[in-house]
Amino acid sequence: MSQEERDARLGLTGLTGAEREARVQELRRHIEREKAAARAALQAERTRRAAAAGASAPAHISAEREDKGTDA
């Protein structure tokens, strides 16, 4: 892909130097927001899965402990 094609895809064609820099900064902020949202979603999914696994584990562990006659 040529530099001109990249510029066109990013909306940078026909901009002055200052406008171009402002657009690049805007794109970077957008990417950072998307990255933060994706990380938050991933962490929420991991937390949900851990909670789901943890919710079933105590019942299983409790049953084993009762079978063995142990407290801890």
Side-chain angles (χ1 to χ4, degrees):
M1 176 181 297
S2 71
Q3 182 67 42
E4 292 82 16
E5 290 171 324
R6 282 192 295 269
D7 285 356
R9 289 186 71 189
L10 296 172
L12 300 173
T13 54
L15 301 179
T16 65
E19 292 169 334
R20 183 182 181 90
E21 184 58 33
R23 175 71 176 144
V24 169
Q25 290 300 320
E26 177 186 335
L27 291 167
R28 286 182 177 151
R29 285 190 299 273
H30 177 74
I31 290 167
E32 287 299 319
R33 284 191 302 271
E34 285 188 356
K35 187 169 73 171
R39 284 183 175 163
L42 179 60
Q43 185 58 42
E45 179 64 18
R46 287 177 177 162
T47 300
R48 185 193 64 77
R49 287 183 181 181
S56 62
H60 174 71
I61 292 170
S62 295
E64 286 181 4
R65 287 180 182 161
E66 288 176 14
D67 290 345
K68 293 179 182 176
T70 61
D71 293 342

